[in-house]
């Protein structure tokens, strides 16, 4: 197979960085874009078992995971610290400790499924028509989630007679709690079953056209999470999965047959890193007040349009 060019890698890197975190399926777009462009792109960027393009995509996924680690570095420091102290003291007491174990348990199903099914599903379904169909379905699922999911009602404010007057008490100096810590404290209250179900939704992303972040967010919304909490949990869940899968497959990039793709892979990975970091910064603000509906409409239109192109 032909080596991936620098220009192709840079374009795909930008696409990967955005589509991995936006709920629109990076794998689906990585299949559809080359097929739609045609020519050298369709030849160079064909997903297959020994494809240089696949090795380049692996490097870009690692870059996306590193961007997530950088963006959530303070959160991961707290979560990893919580996991360490919980294992050391053999207790689960703080929100950070509980959230750490929820993330561990919630990533086990997709890890097992990825090892068993990823190559099979990619080789069989990693083609334009199935990708277009799944992208359309992805849009339908996102739209249905917005129509039928309900956020858990917020706790009712205390009544006047239940309010405690602290005016006569000695003033205490308390450490300010960040928005991120407050969000993680809410996520830590998820039940184990709920967290595992949400994490298991990532298995659907093995189908090209189904979004990892989108499926996980939908599962979170169905369990009553608010959009910003569902998005945050989705990205925290995705980080170790993407990073582990990427590191496991990185050696394929350094085989002799892929040596000519090393430079383009590095260039594309840098672009993917930057695009991912910008994307997660944008989306954390976006989901504070907005919904999945625009992404649902896009996936539906892009999927149906692509399907018409490839079947007519």
């Amino acid at each position: 197979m032909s080596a991936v060019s620098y220009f192709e890698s840079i374009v795909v890197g930008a696409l990967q960085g955005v589509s991995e975190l936006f709920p629109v399926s990076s794998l689906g777009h990585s299949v559809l874009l080359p097929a739609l462009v045609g020519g050298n792109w369709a030849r160079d960027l064909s997903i297959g078992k020994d494809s240089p393009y696949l090795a380049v995509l692996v490097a870009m996924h690692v870059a996306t995971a590193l961007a997530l680690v950088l963006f959530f570095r303070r959160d991961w420091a707290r979560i990893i610290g919580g996991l360490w102290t919980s294992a050391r003291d053999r207790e689960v007491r703080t929100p950070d400790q509980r959230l750490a174990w929820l993330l561990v348990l919630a990533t086990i199903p997709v890890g097992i499924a990825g090892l068993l099914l990823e190559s099979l599903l990619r080789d069989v379904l990693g083609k334009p028509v199935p990708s277009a169909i799944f992208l359309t379905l992805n849009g339908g699922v996102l739209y249905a989630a917005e129509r039928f999911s309900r956020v858990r009602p917020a706790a009712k404010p205390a009544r006047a007679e239940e309010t405690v007057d602290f005016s006569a008490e000695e003033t205490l100096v308390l450490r300010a709690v960040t928005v991120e810590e407050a969000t993680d404290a809410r996520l830590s209250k998820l039940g184990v079953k709920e967290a595992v179900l949400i994490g298991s939704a990532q298995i659907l992303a093995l189908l090209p056209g189904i979004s990892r972040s989108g499926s996980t967010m939908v599962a979170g919304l169905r369990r009553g999470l608010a959009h910003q909490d569902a998005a945050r949990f989705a990205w925290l869940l995705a980080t170790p999965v993407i990073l582990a899968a990427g590191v496991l497959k990185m050696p394929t990039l350094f085989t002799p047959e892929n040596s000519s793709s090393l430079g383009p892979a590095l260039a594309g990975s840098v672009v993917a890193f930057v695009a991912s970091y910008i994307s997660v910064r944008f989306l954390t603000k976006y989901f504070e007040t907005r919904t999945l509906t625009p992404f649902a409409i896009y996936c539906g239109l892009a999927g149906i349009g692509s399907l018409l192109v490839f079947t007519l």
Side-chain angles (χ1 to χ4, degrees):
M1 294 185 181
S2 301
V4 180
S5 72
Y6 276 91
F7 180 68
E8 291 168 340
S9 185
I10 288 170
V11 172
V12 173
L15 182 67
Q16 156 65 28
V18 172
S19 59
E20 182 66 46
L21 302 182
F22 279 66
V24 297
S25 177
S26 64
L27 181 56
H29 281 75
S30 298
V31 172
L32 291 173
L33 176 65
L36 288 170
V37 175
N40 291 337
W41 284 64
R43 185 186 69 249
D44 297 345
L45 308 183
S46 175
I47 290 180
K49 183 178 180 181
D50 299 317
S51 168
Y53 180 44
L54 185 59
V56 171
L57 285 177
V58 167
M60 292 176 182
H61 275 77
V62 173
T64 295
L66 292 176
L68 287 172
V69 170
L70 177 64
F71 186 82
F72 293 111
R73 59 191 180 279
R74 294 185 181 87
D75 308 274
W76 279 114
R78 288 189 292 101
I79 291 168
I80 293 173
L83 184 63
W84 164 251
T85 57
S86 177
R88 181 194 63 194
D89 301 333
R90 298 184 180 181
E91 63 178 10
V92 181
R93 183 171 50 86
T94 69
D96 290 336
Q97 291 173 337
R98 180 170 175 79
L99 180 58
W101 283 112
L102 289 178
L103 290 172
V104 169
L105 294 173
T107 55
I108 291 175
V110 68
I112 296 173
L115 290 173
L116 297 177
L117 301 174
E118 182 182 16
S119 296
L120 174 64
L121 293 177
R122 184 191 63 232
D123 294 341
V124 173
L125 300 174
K127 298 175 177 62
V129 171
S131 297
I133 293 173
F134 285 124
L135 185 62
T136 305
L137 291 175
N138 187 71
V141 170
L142 296 181
Y143 184 76
E146 289 297 344
R147 286 294 304 272
F148 302 112
S149 295
R150 293 291 182 270
V151 177
R152 290 171 179 165
K156 295 181 180 179
R159 292 178 296 180
E161 59 269 25
E162 296 175 340
T163 304
V164 179
D165 182 10
F166 290 101
S167 58
E169 300 293 329
E170 181 180 355
T171 302
L172 298 176
V173 178
L174 300 177
R175 182 180 67 84
V177 177
T178 65
V179 174
E180 292 77 12
E181 288 175 305
T183 301
D184 288 349
R186 290 194 298 270
L187 292 175
S188 71
K189 295 178 182 178
L190 284 168
V192 172
K193 182 179 178 181
E194 289 179 311
V196 171
L197 286 173
I198 294 172
S200 297
Q202 294 183 92
I203 296 173
L204 295 174
L206 297 176
L207 304 172
I210 301 296
S211 166
R212 180 191 308 275
S213 59
S215 58
T216 316
M217 278 194 67
V218 166
L221 292 174
R222 293 295 296 165
R223 305 310 299 176
L225 295 180
H227 286 81
Q228 63 269 33
D229 291 357
R232 183 179 180 81
F233 197 46
W235 294 321
L236 289 176
L237 283 168
T239 303
V241 174
I242 298 173
L243 188 60
V247 170
L248 184 65
K249 298 174 183 176
M250 276 293 282
T252 62
L253 184 61
F254 299 97
T255 57
E257 55 268 26
N258 290 332
S259 59
S260 58
S261 296
L262 285 174
L266 178 60
S269 296
V270 171
V271 173
F273 177 91
V274 174
S276 298
Y277 191 85
I278 293 173
S279 295
V280 72
R281 286 197 58 156
F282 168 77
L283 290 171
T284 50
K285 295 295 183 183
Y286 175 90
F287 284 122
E288 289 178 359
T289 56
R290 300 181 186 179
T291 70
L292 292 167
T293 302
F295 306 110
I297 295 172
Y298 165 77
C299 289
L301 293 176
I304 292 173
S306 298
L307 191 60
L308 292 175
V309 170
F310 296 126
T311 56
L312 295 181

